[in-house]
Amino acid sequence: MSSCKTCIVRNRAICAGLEDRELVALNAMGRRRNVAAGEPLIWEDDDSLVVANVIEGVLKMTTSTEDGREQIVGVAYPSDFIGRPFGQTSRASVVALTDARVCVFARNDFDRFAREHPELEHKLLERTLAELDRTRSWMMLLGRKTASEKIATFLLDMSERFGETGCATTLTPARRFALPFSRQQVADLLGLTIETVSRQFTRLKADGVIGLPSRREVEVLDRRALVVLAG
């Protein structure tokens, strides 16, 4: 992972489309960093000092109330972009859910580079609009979907996000994957109780829609049924 040209998520990250000479310049600005599970990368309300591309692993974005209650407001997967470019303050904390590897840039340097390279700014805009679409879909999930629809939608999203990696621009949904969330975190994310989450997983397993090889692992046995259940 010594350069952008050999990065396994290059064709799906925001740097896709940059020419070789531009990648050389971008590579000179960035540094690879390993982040252990539970380790914070960015703190809410701190100065926005860094931005990053996720290369491997999963990170959560959270905000907290004054009395310390935490809410997961987003999840970053390989090829996702995290941080607040063109902004002075970080609006959410970013913490590794699993061991992760990221490509980190000083925010001021990245902002300057993006202004000089319209293709990169265009990719940032595309990512922002895609994130807005996901947020609207999540509002529908939280506000209108039943518990079974929420769990089915969540599992489909996980399957897609943990699809086959590599240099392709599209992914094949994963049939088997390890959840980076505990049952309680799934409940908090979906606005359910942990008891409801456990019941829904058990029901899907009993109906042959999914398998549960272990506490954290999920195997999609009947994807078409899961799509129907997701509404």
Side-chain angles (χ1 to χ4, degrees):
M1 198 66 64
S2 60
S3 75
C4 294
K5 289 184 69 174
T6 59
C7 178
I8 60 174
V9 298
R10 174 193 165 186
N11 289 340
R12 295 182 284 114
I14 59 164
C15 44
L18 293 180
E19 297 179 0
D20 287 349
R21 59 181 177 78
E22 295 171 321
L23 286 173
V24 170
L26 184 64
N27 183 63
M29 292 167 37
R31 60 186 176 88
R32 276 65 175 176
R33 175 177 168 183
N34 294 322
V35 188
E39 181 182 350
L41 181 66
I42 296 171
W43 288 104
E44 181 182 8
D45 294 329
D46 275 4
D47 291 341
S48 178
L49 300 179
V50 300
V51 295
N53 268 333
V54 182
I55 300 172
E56 299 174 8
V58 182
L59 301 96
K60 64 178 179 177
M61 288 160 277
T62 67
T63 60
S64 300
T65 60
E66 290 185 0
D67 61 3
R69 286 173 293 163
E70 179 188 271
Q71 177 63 47
I72 298 175
V73 295
V75 183
Y77 301 88
S79 81
D80 282 348
F81 185 78
I82 52 179
R84 185 68 181 265
F86 310 114
Q88 299 300 316
T89 305
S90 299
R91 303 306 297 270
S93 296
V94 180
V95 180
L97 275 171
T98 67
D99 289 345
R101 186 168 174 81
V102 296
C103 186
V104 180
F105 305 92
R107 198 265 303 170
N108 285 333
D109 291 342
F110 184 86
D111 287 357
R112 183 170 54 254
F113 185 88
R115 290 190 182 99
E116 295 170 353
H117 296 81
E119 183 62 30
L120 187 60
E121 280 195 314
H122 180 72
K123 288 292 183 182
L124 281 172
L125 177 59
E126 284 184 339
R127 288 299 174 103
T128 301
L129 293 175
E131 186 63 31
L132 179 59
D133 287 341
R134 281 195 293 268
T135 300
R136 287 169 172 162
S137 297
W138 202 256
M139 289 174 63
M140 166 65 91
L141 179 147
L142 293 177
R144 294 298 178 188
K145 290 198 171 187
T146 65
S148 60
E149 289 172 334
K150 287 181 178 181
I151 293 295
T153 301
F154 170 75
L155 291 177
L156 285 172
D157 185 57
M158 291 294 99
S159 172
E160 290 166 2
R161 298 310 297 265
F162 286 119
E164 293 290 335
T165 58
C167 294
T169 56
T170 58
L171 299 181
T172 300
R175 188 171 186 270
R176 182 169 176 165
F177 52 91
L179 287 175
F181 307 98
S182 66
R183 291 288 192 269
Q184 185 61 63
Q185 287 174 320
V186 174
D188 293 342
L189 194 62
L190 299 178
L192 302 171
T193 65
I194 189 172
E195 293 81 10
T196 299
V197 170
S198 295
R199 283 198 301 271
Q200 292 299 325
F201 272 87
T202 300
R203 181 177 300 171
L204 288 172
K205 179 181 178 181
D207 291 343
V209 179
I210 64 170
L212 299 173
S214 68
R215 180 81 178 162
R216 287 290 185 104
E217 283 188 299
V218 175
E219 184 175 11
V220 179
L221 301 176
D222 189 340
R223 185 176 185 84
R224 185 171 182 179
L226 201 58
V227 170
V228 172
L229 289 169

